[in-house]
């Protein structure tokens, strides 16, 4: 059984390599870390003490040393002396010491040795990267007939909370971020790297090898993959085309019997790996949860929406209602990734309440968003009465105008739904819903009043409303120029037709007949009606 010594066992690449090689049980693993132990077998060592490094290597007698130690861009610029020692000198020290003691070295390099001005760089192209990181890594590449340098770019989870990698950065983001569609990449996951190291050991691969997939991908596309696979719906990726950079690599060698997987498959395998090693990645728990704020959560639509959101994975609901103060609203907004603005009045005792709540609260929400600098998508529950010039309609229309201005200014999506009469479970009877009033009265054997039998009504069922809301929440591509959302599945019928259908449902219930699912309106009325039967009533707060 070969002995593998891994330097950098707590790093982004090193910890995955260590645990992967341990899991396949083909090698004796000696893992070397810098500050803290990866596991009970870890050896903590400062590689700056070269004499100590030599003694350890001679004592442990590894067959192969994997060097995954490196200083990244920021630290290299801050401490060029350490960048030169760790990125440049140490790999060549290992190369020389390994040659003297018949130890193979596997070293990890980066696509950053190239500037990105051209793209499709081969193993033979001039290394023209700029800055201490690029140049120190370029100097550190070991190229000979015995040892191996993998040149690539990696993404993956980290053990430290202040990691610099792209994946770590992405998992800690919320809200709107930029995805560079003109920055190209040919990298791999840390798990794919670990598998390739195993294959390279088996095949005794040597020299400089570009470890890459078959084709390049943009950083924008890569972030979309992260979002999809980790279900990180609390991030909105804006395509950014202004910056162009291409550090993509090509591989001209055919002597390694290993095919790097496609980008999606690599990410999916990494996702499974992280789930199998949750104890390592607790810092990412909850990072994919979308914080959804619902104003008016204890109203009719709000109660139904919250019920649905609470059943969804990766959703945390923040609820703002009349019992809260405005400072609570500001706090909720600072945490939120998405806002459903449902709070409003439609039958106040004082007409001034229309403007104060329907328009004023919307204005306050926008003000708080700007103060906490958290521009988030907003779904606004408006009304078809916004087309009219009555006090209610005017207050709703002014709120719509405010939200459209907010969308333009902040470049974030606003969804405006002008709903007709919404009906369904938990709607308060004898208030402003004729369906709720008729269902309640008929279910309690009370009379109903039909003022105009031929009055035409547009109705929409609450589940349809919630379905549209969830569609907006989950929408991938957000066209910010499209404010007004189409209203689907409206039902048109007269007041008399509505009453007749409710009486029919009442009779069906008495005779224990269930509705035909194909008759949509009867089914919706049935589901609404049974919520008003004695012992089952629950209504919204208005």
């Amino acid at each position: 059984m070969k002995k593998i010594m891994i330097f950098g066992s707590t790093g982004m690449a090193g910890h995955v390599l260590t645990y992967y090689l341990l899991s396949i049980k083909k090698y004796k693993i000696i893992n070397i870390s810098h500050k803290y132990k990866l596991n009970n077998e870890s050896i903590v060592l400062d590689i700056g003490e070269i004499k100590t490094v030599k003694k350890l290597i001679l004592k442990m007698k590894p067959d192969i040393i994997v060097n995954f130690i490196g200083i990244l861009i920021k630290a290299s610029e801050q401490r060029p002396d350490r960048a030169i020692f760790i990125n440049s000198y140490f790999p060549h020290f290992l190369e020389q010491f390994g040659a003297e003691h018949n130890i193979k070295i596997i070293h990890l390099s980066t696509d950053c040795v190239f500037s990105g001005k051209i793209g499709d760089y081969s193993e033979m192209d001039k290394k023209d990267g700029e800055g201490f990181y690029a140049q120190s890594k370029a100097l550190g590449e070991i190229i000979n007939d015995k040892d191996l340098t993998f040149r690539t770019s990696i993404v993956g989870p980290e053990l430290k909370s202040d990691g610099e990698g792209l994946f770590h950065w992405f998992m800690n983001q919320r809200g709107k971020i930029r995805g560079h569609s003109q920055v190209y990449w040919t990298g791999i996951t840390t798990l794919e790297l670990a598998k390739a190291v195993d294959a390279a050991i088996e095949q005794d691969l040597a020299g400089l090898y570009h470890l890459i997939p078959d084709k390049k991908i943009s950083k924008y596309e890569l972030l979309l993959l992260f979002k999809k696979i980790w279900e990180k719906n609390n991030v909105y990726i804006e395509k950014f085309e202004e910056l162009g950079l291409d550090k993509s690599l090509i591989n001209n060698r055919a002597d390694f019997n290993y095919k790097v997987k496609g980008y999606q498959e690599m990410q999916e395998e990494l996702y499974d790996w992280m789930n199998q090693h949750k104890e390592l990645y607790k810092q990412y728990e909850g990072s994919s949860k979308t914080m959804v704020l619902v104003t008016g959560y204890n109203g009719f639509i709000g109660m139904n929406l919250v019920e649905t959101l609470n059943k969804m994975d990766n959703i945390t609901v923040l609820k703002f209602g009349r019992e809260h103060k405005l400072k609570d609203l500001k706090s909720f907004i600072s945490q939120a990734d998405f806002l459903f603005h449902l709070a409003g009045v439609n039958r106040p005792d004082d007409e001034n309440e229309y403007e104060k709540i329907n328009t004023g609260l919307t204005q306050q929400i926008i003000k708080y968003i700007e103060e906490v600098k958290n521009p988030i998508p907003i779904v606004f529950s408006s009304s078809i009465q916004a087309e009219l010039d009555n006090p209610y309609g005017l207050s709703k229309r002014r709120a719509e105008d405010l939200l459209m201005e907010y969308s333009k200014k902040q470049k974030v999506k606003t969804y405006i739904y002008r709903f007709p009469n919404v009906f369904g479970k938990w709607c308060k009877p004898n208030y402003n819903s004729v369906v709720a009033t008729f269902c309640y009265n008929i279910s309690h054997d009370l009379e109903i009043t039909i003022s105009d039998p031929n009055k035409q009504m547009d109705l929409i069922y609450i589940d349809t409303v919630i379905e549209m809301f969830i569609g907006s929440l989950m929408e991938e591509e957000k066209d910010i120029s499209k404010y007004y959302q189409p209203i689907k599945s409206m039902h048109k019928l007269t007041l008399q037709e509505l009453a007749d259908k409710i009486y029919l449902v009442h009779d069906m219930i008495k005779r224990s007949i269930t509705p035909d699912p194909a008759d949509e309106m009867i089914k919706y009325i049935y589901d609404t009606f049974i919520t008003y039967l004695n012992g089952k009533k629950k209504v919204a707060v208005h």
Side-chain angles (χ1 to χ4, degrees), residues 146-351:
K146 176 178 74 71
D147 302 315
L148 169 65
T149 291
F150 271 143
R151 189 187 279 162
T152 188
S153 179
I154 56 173
V155 292
E158 303 189 41
L159 300 181
K160 57 183 183 179
S161 60
D162 59 345
E164 295 181 42
L166 180 66
F167 177 83
H168 181 83
W169 170 84
F170 176 81
M171 293 299 285
N172 284 283
Q173 298 306 301
R174 309 184 81 89
K176 184 169 65 175
I177 62 173
R178 284 178 172 177
H180 295 279
S181 62
Q182 302 301 312
V183 175
Y184 294 99
W185 186 76
T186 46
I188 60 174
T189 64
T190 48
L191 179 59
E192 187 69 11
L193 173 62
K195 293 179 179 182
V197 168
D198 174 43
I201 293 171
E202 290 284 342
Q203 299 175 42
D204 197 24
L205 185 68
L208 173 64
Y209 191 90
H210 281 187
L211 188 63
I212 56 172
D214 288 339
K215 60 182 181 179
K216 67 181 73 175
I217 188 175
S218 74
K219 289 292 183 73
Y220 170 70
E221 293 169 311
L222 180 61
L223 293 182
L224 288 178
L225 267 181
F226 289 166
K227 176 176 178 175
K228 174 184 175 183
I229 292 168
W230 275 268
E231 297 181 341
K232 197 162 166 57
N233 296 313
N234 57 357
V235 165
Y236 309 96
I237 305 168
E238 179 184 30
K239 184 184 286 188
F240 187 71
E241 300 178 342
E242 294 179 19
L243 177 65
L245 198 66
D246 188 348
K247 294 182 182 178
S248 61
L249 307 178
I250 58 173
N251 187 334
N252 290 322
R253 292 182 57 173
D255 56 336
F256 185 30
N257 185 25
Y258 185 85
K259 181 176 175 57
V260 173
K261 298 176 183 68
Y263 295 104
Q264 179 158 334
E265 187 177 357
M266 277 194 285
Q267 304 303 329
E268 288 172 345
E269 287 190 354
L270 183 63
Y271 176 85
D272 291 338
W273 167 272
M274 290 177 66
N275 276 337
Q276 292 160 14
H277 298 82
K278 288 182 178 180
E279 72 283 359
L280 297 176
Y281 308 119
K282 290 182 179 179
Q283 65 170 317
Y284 299 117
E285 289 179 5
S287 67
S288 294
K289 282 188 175 292
T290 301
M291 305 290 280
V292 177
L293 172 57
V294 181
T295 69
Y297 78 93
N298 49 4
F300 161 49
I301 295 177
M303 287 170 61
N304 281 273
L305 175 61
V306 168
E307 180 193 47
T308 300
L309 292 172
N310 282 336
K311 295 176 182 176
M312 297 174 66
D313 292 334
N314 293 328
I315 296 288
T316 298
V317 183
L318 302 169
K319 299 181 287 188
F320 178 78
R322 290 185 176 181
E323 72 276 18
H324 292 101
K325 298 178 180 179
L326 285 178
K327 67 177 183 180
D328 298 321
L329 177 60
K330 186 174 183 178
S331 174
F332 292 153
I333 286 172
S334 70
Q335 303 171 58
D337 302 304
F338 200 97
L339 169 59
F340 287 97
H341 182 26
L342 313 181
V345 293
N346 52 25
R347 290 183 66 179
D349 295 330
D350 182 354
E351 266 193 15

Side-chain angles (χ1 to χ4, degrees), residues 94-124:
L94 291 176
E95 177 188 21
Q96 183 63 36
F97 199 72
E100 293 171 2
H101 297 280
N102 195 31
I103 302 169
K104 183 182 180 74
I105 310 300
I106 297 177
H107 175 65
L108 181 63
S109 188
T110 171
D111 59 359
C112 287
V113 300
F114 298 113
S115 65
K117 295 175 182 177
I118 300 172
D120 295 330
Y121 294 97
S122 75
E123 296 90 343
M124 303 303 295

Side-chain angles (χ1 to χ4, degrees), residues 261-468:
K261 298 176 183 68
Y263 295 104
Q264 179 158 334
E265 187 177 357
M266 277 194 285
Q267 304 303 329
E268 288 172 345
E269 287 190 354
L270 183 63
Y271 176 85
D272 291 338
W273 167 272
M274 290 177 66
N275 276 337
Q276 292 160 14
H277 298 82
K278 288 182 178 180
E279 72 283 359
L280 297 176
Y281 308 119
K282 290 182 179 179
Q283 65 170 317
Y284 299 117
E285 289 179 5
S287 67
S288 294
K289 282 188 175 292
T290 301
M291 305 290 280
V292 177
L293 172 57
V294 181
T295 69
Y297 78 93
N298 49 4
F300 161 49
I301 295 177
M303 287 170 61
N304 281 273
L305 175 61
V306 168
E307 180 193 47
T308 300
L309 292 172
N310 282 336
K311 295 176 182 176
M312 297 174 66
D313 292 334
N314 293 328
I315 296 288
T316 298
V317 183
L318 302 169
K319 299 181 287 188
F320 178 78
R322 290 185 176 181
E323 72 276 18
H324 292 101
K325 298 178 180 179
L326 285 178
K327 67 177 183 180
D328 298 321
L329 177 60
K330 186 174 183 178
S331 174
F332 292 153
I333 286 172
S334 70
Q335 303 171 58
D337 302 304
F338 200 97
L339 169 59
F340 287 97
H341 182 26
L342 313 181
V345 293
N346 52 25
R347 290 183 66 179
D349 295 330
D350 182 354
E351 266 193 15
N352 292 323
E353 291 290 298
Y354 286 125
E355 188 68 21
K356 179 181 178 181
I357 297 177
N358 295 344
T359 307
L361 183 59
T362 304
Q363 198 167 27
Q364 193 67 52
I365 286 170
I366 294 169
K367 179 175 178 286
Y368 285 155
I369 286 174
E370 292 175 345
E371 286 180 1
V372 301
K373 297 179 181 179
N374 183 30
I376 50 177
I378 298 176
V379 167
F380 180 55
S381 178
S382 190
S383 166
I384 55 173
Q385 290 199 44
E387 300 171 5
L388 306 178
D389 289 334
N390 59 47
Y392 174 63
L394 288 170
S395 67
K396 282 290 191 180
R397 192 158 72 242
R398 279 192 283 269
E400 293 176 358
D401 292 340
L402 288 168
L403 289 168
M404 286 188 282
E405 280 302 311
Y406 158 76
S407 180
K408 291 175 187 175
K409 181 179 178 181
Q410 299 290 345
K411 295 182 180 179
V412 67
K413 181 70 176 180
T414 291
Y415 305 81
I416 298 172
Y417 287 93
R418 283 184 171 178
F419 289 122
N421 297 283
V422 184
F423 73 99
K425 63 182 184 298
W426 305 334
C427 188
K428 185 177 180 180
N430 300 303
Y431 183 64
N432 65 350
S433 168
V434 65
V435 178
T437 299
F438 280 9
C439 284
Y440 178 84
N441 285 4
I442 292 172
S443 68
H444 289 75
D445 297 319
L446 301 174
E447 289 187 2
I448 62 171
T449 301
I450 302 176
S451 55
D452 181 359
N454 297 315
K455 181 180 179 181
Q456 193 76 28
M457 301 187 66
D458 292 327
L459 299 171
I460 185 169
Y461 186 53
I462 185 62
D463 287 4
T464 305
V465 171
I466 303 306
E467 181 183 323
M468 289 189 286

